[in-house]
Amino acid sequence: IFAVFEPRSATSRRKFFQKQYVEAFKDCSEILIAKPFDQSKIEEKERFSVDELVSDLKSAGKSAKAFEGVDQIIEDLVGRARSGDLVLIMSNGGFDGIYTKLLNALGSTL
């Protein structure tokens, strides 16, 4: 299971669930996390940290990576996903067109 997460909602871009995400991703084989959507209006001390989550997931024995954007996520998935794998994309927005981009990229590798 590849879990692809874009912290986009008002709460996910803040530290509200920083530690709970480790438990939420416990059954995923691979966790790919995009940098949060615009955090410019959130005080620094309240911002969710992708790097902290990746570190916590790795400490829990999980494979996790942070990504600057969708194109890097797709490149990683195309290089590692195999037939039968599940790719779970989690965002409450358009996630920079990841759905179509990923289907197109995977279709070109079949």
Side-chain angles (χ1 to χ4, degrees), residues 4-41:
V4 183
F5 177 51
E6 179 193 33
R8 188 178 181 96
S9 71
T11 53
S12 68
R13 292 180 295 131
R14 290 173 171 80
K15 287 196 172 282
F16 293 128
F17 302 113
Q18 185 76 49
K19 297 299 182 188
Q20 290 86 342
Y21 284 131
V22 176
E23 178 68 17
F25 291 121
K26 72 176 182 179
D27 293 325
C28 299
S29 309
E30 305 283 340
I31 302 104
L32 293 74
I33 307 167
K35 293 290 181 180
F37 185 74
D38 183 19
Q39 291 181 301
S40 64
K41 296 178 182 169

Side-chain angles (χ1 to χ4, degrees), residues 53-110:
L53 178 56
V54 167
S55 177
D56 290 346
L57 287 165
K58 287 181 176 183
S59 292
K62 305 306 295 178
S63 175
K65 293 181 184 179
F67 293 87
E68 288 296 324
V70 166
D71 293 335
Q72 294 81 19
I73 291 171
I74 290 171
E75 184 179 325
D76 185 77
L77 283 169
V78 169
R80 297 189 306 135
R82 300 291 174 252
S83 179
D85 288 348
L86 175 67
V87 178
L88 173 64
I89 299 174
M90 296 169 279
S91 174
N92 72 336
F95 204 165
D96 195 25
I98 193 170
Y99 314 101
T100 302
K101 290 178 180 180
L102 180 58
L103 289 173
N104 290 337
L106 289 173
S108 68
T109 63
L110 298 178

